[in-house]
Amino acid sequence: MFNLFGLGKTRTQFGKWLDQQGITQFDLEQKANLSRRTISRLCNDKTYRPKYSTVSKIRKGLKSLGKEIPNDYFWM
């Protein structure tokens, strides 16, 4: 089957959670002050383990969007 614009990609738990919360990767990219590539890896690459500083930026970005997650909720 033809796959347009990455639709149907497997998502990480974090990517699925963002989808359920209605948060776009672009919104998080802007609020967390991280690159598009980093956000994409967090949402799609199940082997990617972010540094503590990246997780901290994600948490701050989510907080500014009115959401919070524990430090080790998605990445251990």
Side-chain angles (χ1 to χ4, degrees):
M1 184 76 185
F2 187 71
N3 195 358
L4 264 184
F5 304 110
L7 296 176
K9 279 186 177 178
T10 58
R11 302 279 275 173
T12 62
Q13 281 187 323
F14 181 68
K16 289 175 187 176
W17 183 82
L18 282 181
D19 295 341
Q20 291 170 349
Q21 299 299 313
I23 300 171
T24 65
Q25 289 182 209
F26 180 76
D27 290 340
L28 185 56
E29 174 188 336
Q30 298 297 308
K31 296 291 184 177
N33 196 28
L34 290 168
S35 71
R36 178 174 296 163
R37 176 170 166 75
T38 299
I39 300 298
S40 180
R41 288 181 74 192
L42 286 166
C43 293
N44 299 311
D45 185 351
K46 293 182 180 185
T47 62
Y48 178 64
R49 298 292 177 252
K51 295 189 300 186
Y52 181 79
S53 60
T54 302
V55 173
S56 179
K57 287 181 179 183
I58 292 292
R59 291 189 72 221
K60 286 179 184 177
L62 288 172
K63 190 172 184 175
S64 71
L65 291 168
K67 306 289 181 184
E68 288 194 38
I69 57 171
N71 277 340
D72 60 351
Y73 191 71
F74 295 107
W75 309 283
M76 295 182 87

